[in-house]
Amino acid sequence: MPELPEVETVCRGLAAVLETRVLRHLELRRKDLRFPFPAGLAALVEGRRVAAVRRRAKYILIHLEDGGVLIAHLGMSGRMLIGPAEGLVLETHDHVVFHTDHGVAVRFNDARRFGFLDHARAEDLGRHKLLEGLGPEPLGNEFSGPVLAEKLAGKLAPIKAALLDQKIVAGLGNIYVSEALFVARLSPLRSAGTVSGARAEKLVRAIKDVLTRAIAAGGSSLRDYVQTSGELGYFQHQWAVYGKEGEPCPGCTCAHGILRIVQSNRATFYCAKRQR
DNA sequence: CGGCAAACCTGCGAGC
DNA sequence: TGCTCGCAGGTTTGCC
């Protein structure tokens, strides 16, 4: 499920029900997800009011009024589902439940358990092991052609791999990298270091365009639904290339159509004629 | 240091 | 119907 647009959608859903509310009870139904939950996590959260829900890269940051921050990551299969606490029915893989002071329950469901939950002080976030070193937010003003080109300079790895590296730009994942490279008409096989100048400008515009459209659509749903309401995101209907091996290229009349290759053990979709 | 494969864990669809 | 295999949106680790 979750790349930047999906995490952004989840954050907006969480903000609507959690901000200004007190977290009465943090129900930990196992002792770990990808990592063990930090010692005393429930006590660090219970009785605190939520000041704000924010996103950094693919991390959900739940700021508490006492300066503590809950850091959540959805991994590959994580979901946050909001519903009434009364008559709550837990489902398989509901590992954590947040209970608010106004009768709302948020279930953190994660079948594959690649997600996690951590706690930090707000003033320490910049030095948090998982957050330090993250590259710029792709939708922020600070993410520009020159900034990207500088990060890519000298890199021999394919541009596909570089864009998945969260130190270069934070929040892209496997789907949106293929989509952005298609919009920018750049081959995923091209060496990252050759993307500079006008090419870098074009790629930055493509990344911002794809992410903005995906957020507007509520993200993409594959097997899981994305939004906290349980509604489907529908950006998958706007994909140009992802998952479309063998289908006609939407941008040209090439005979081969959309190709699927494997880079760094992950599927890449592209048009070899339109993308150079 | 850079780049790549494998590992973490579970579910689902395709194919036999 | 039921089994096996391959593949899946992320990130870290370890190896060359």
Side-chain angles (χ1 to χ4, degrees):
Chain A
M1 173 180 79
E3 299 182 35
L4 186 151
E6 290 75 37
V7 178
E8 178 64 27
T9 300
V10 168
C11 281
R12 292 178 184 185
L14 291 178
V17 293
L18 293 185
E19 287 183 354
T20 77
R21 308 313 314 193
V22 172
L23 296 174
R24 282 281 177 237
H25 178 43
L26 182 65
E27 183 181 352
L28 302 172
R29 310 193 69 252
R30 49 180 301 131
K31 62 179 176 24
D32 61 7
L33 283 173
R34 178 170 191 177
F35 309 122
F37 297 133
L41 179 61
L44 288 166
V45 170
E46 290 172 352
R48 270 67 166 192
R49 195 176 296 278
V50 175
V53 180
R54 294 280 148 72
R55 178 189 59 72
R56 170 73 172 116
K58 298 170 194 168
Y59 296 88
I60 298 166
L61 306 176
I62 302 174
H63 287 261
L64 307 175
E65 277 191 353
D66 71 347
V69 184
L70 262 174
I71 305 170
H73 194 287
L74 299 175
M76 289 278 262
S77 55
R79 297 179 292 169
M80 294 283 186
L81 298 161
I82 296 169
E86 189 174 329
L88 178 66
V89 178
L90 293 179
E91 297 175 40
T92 310
H93 309 305
D94 282 343
H95 303 308
V96 176
V97 187
F98 301 79
H99 296 266
T100 74
D101 62 347
H102 68 322
V104 164
V106 178
R107 293 178 287 137
F108 185 174
N109 181 290
D110 185 6
R112 294 175 72 180
R113 304 204 302 274
F114 290 170
F116 62 83
L117 207 51
D118 198 4
H119 181 276
R121 301 292 311 168
E123 61 269 27
D124 297 332
L125 274 182
R127 276 164 282 142
H128 192 280
K129 187 169 185 297
L130 299 161
L131 299 178
E132 73 174 356
L134 283 175
E137 282 292 323
L139 293 177
N141 290 332
E142 69 279 10
F143 184 58
S144 64
V147 165
L148 178 61
E150 153 109 48
K151 296 249 182 199
L152 298 177
K155 283 207 165 293
L156 297 176
I159 186 67
K160 160 74 189 301
L163 293 180
L164 283 177
D165 182 346
Q166 304 295 297
K167 295 191 293 296
I168 290 175
V169 55
L172 293 179
N174 207 41
I175 292 175
Y176 296 106
V177 166
S178 275
E179 292 297 314
L181 287 171
F182 176 81
V183 171
R185 300 190 63 168
L186 291 173
S187 167
L189 297 163
R190 168 187 284 278
S191 286
T194 68
V195 178
S196 61
R199 282 196 188 102
E201 296 280 4
K202 193 170 181 181
L203 180 52
V204 165
R205 280 198 302 275
I207 289 168
K208 290 176 186 280
D209 171 64
V210 166
L211 294 180
T212 301
R213 288 191 288 119
I215 290 171
S220 302
S221 300
L222 247 56
R223 294 154 197 81
D224 307 308
Y225 40 82
V226 160
Q227 308 200 43
T228 48
S229 58
E231 286 178 61
L232 294 169
Y234 51 92
F235 189 69
Q236 65 275 17
H237 302 304
Q238 294 184 50
W239 290 346
V241 292
Y242 187 83
K244 297 193 179 294
E245 180 181 19
E247 295 186 28
C249 170
C252 70
T253 55
C254 60
H256 49 68
I258 301 304
L259 304 178
R260 178 189 187 275
I261 59 174
V262 174
Q263 296 177 285
S264 312
N265 264 350
R266 312 200 65 191
T268 301
F269 299 88
Y270 75 113
C271 171
K273 177 169 181 223
R274 186 177 165 80
Q275 295 173 250
R276 298 299 175 107

